Amino acid sequence: MEINEFKELTEAVFAAHKLKCELTEQMFDIFYKMTERLLSENEKYNLTAIRTVGGVIENHIFDSVLPAGGIPEGARVLDVGSGGGFPALPLATVRPDLKITALDATEKKVEYIRATAELLGLSNVTAVCGRAEELSSDGSEMREKFDVVIARSVASLATLSELCVPFLGVGGKFIAMKSEKAIHEAKEAENALYLLGCVQKCEIIKPYAVDPETDKLFMVTVKRTKTPIKYPRKYAQIKKKPL
Ligand code: SAH
């Protein structure tokens, strides 16, 4: 696909969802290269189930840009379970002010994110390989070091909270990207969030987007107190006995 056609398609997707986000020529160029690279590398190893340019724009780029409006200026952001770099890479594209760390347990995916960020000139992205529950445990360098922790398609909210919240500094924001299941999962995760030290439990926000029919929901929690050092637990325990 030529870049002009790509641009038109992207504009159409953003307009269809009434997304209030101005994209510059440079951003289109980065998204174009990101899409080409994702689809070609995906033939070598599994990064996404999506196989078309339109699908990448809709499900990866558009979706990843949605929470941008809910992230404070200059924030240190951690993307837990970033996979092929979503939402980390598109977020870094539209918000060059953010310092984004993409974390994933799979070395190949982390290498892909690192190389892609370099190729696209996204100097505000770093990629780290490891398991969230190990890197956020008591005494770890990354614990309580982020202003915003974000995650898409990694685990149910209760499990995800234990993996993500300990990375947040006091007053930080946890953005779990969820669909309609958000409301049900939020109820289920209330106790987990309480135990993890989140004061304001769940709030559903729709940053940027204005169309209630099509827009995705996001869960936001604000951490105001300290997370007890016993969390997170080992992954086997998290899975077996969610908070
Ligand atoms: N966020 C991406 C990828 C979702 S797939 C997207 O929305 O497209 C889930 C990813 O989370 C996988 O790449 C997997 O390796 C990673 N993952 C799952 N559990 C993890 C954990 N405990 N720590 C770090 N990464 C994890």
Side-chain angles (χ1 to χ4, degrees), residues 228-241:
I229 55 170
K230 62 181 173 181
Y231 301 120
R233 299 161 295 160
K234 297 255 181 277
Y235 198 67
Q237 277 174 287
I238 298 177
K239 278 306 267 182
K240 200 170 154 206
K241 244 182 151 226

Side-chain angles (χ1 to χ4, degrees), residues 88-110:
L89 295 173
L91 267 184
T93 307
V94 297
R95 291 288 306 273
D97 59 298
L98 304 176
K99 288 175 235 38
I100 304 188
T101 304
L103 166 68
D104 203 279
T106 308
E107 184 66 50
K108 266 195 166 164
K109 291 181 179 172
V110 173

Side-chain angles (χ1 to χ4, degrees), residues 13-83:
V13 169
F14 277 46
H17 293 284
K18 303 198 182 85
L19 190 73
K20 291 184 287 181
C21 178
E22 293 289 323
L23 296 178
T24 62
E25 289 299 321
Q26 195 193 2
M27 288 173 191
F28 277 117
D29 195 48
I30 295 173
F31 285 149
Y32 180 64
K33 289 186 187 141
M34 192 186 293
T35 305
E36 274 198 324
R37 182 168 158 79
L38 180 70
L39 290 173
S40 67
E41 291 295 301
N42 205 33
E43 287 174 13
K44 296 182 214 159
Y45 51 97
N46 191 28
L47 289 162
T48 175
I50 298 198
R51 312 263 171 227
T52 63
V53 173
V56 173
I57 296 171
E58 176 97 33
N59 292 287
H60 288 313
I61 293 174
F62 166 75
D63 214 43
S64 297
V65 166
L66 265 178
I71 303 179
E73 184 77 23
R76 292 161 301 173
V77 179
L78 179 70
D79 178 13
V80 171
S82 191

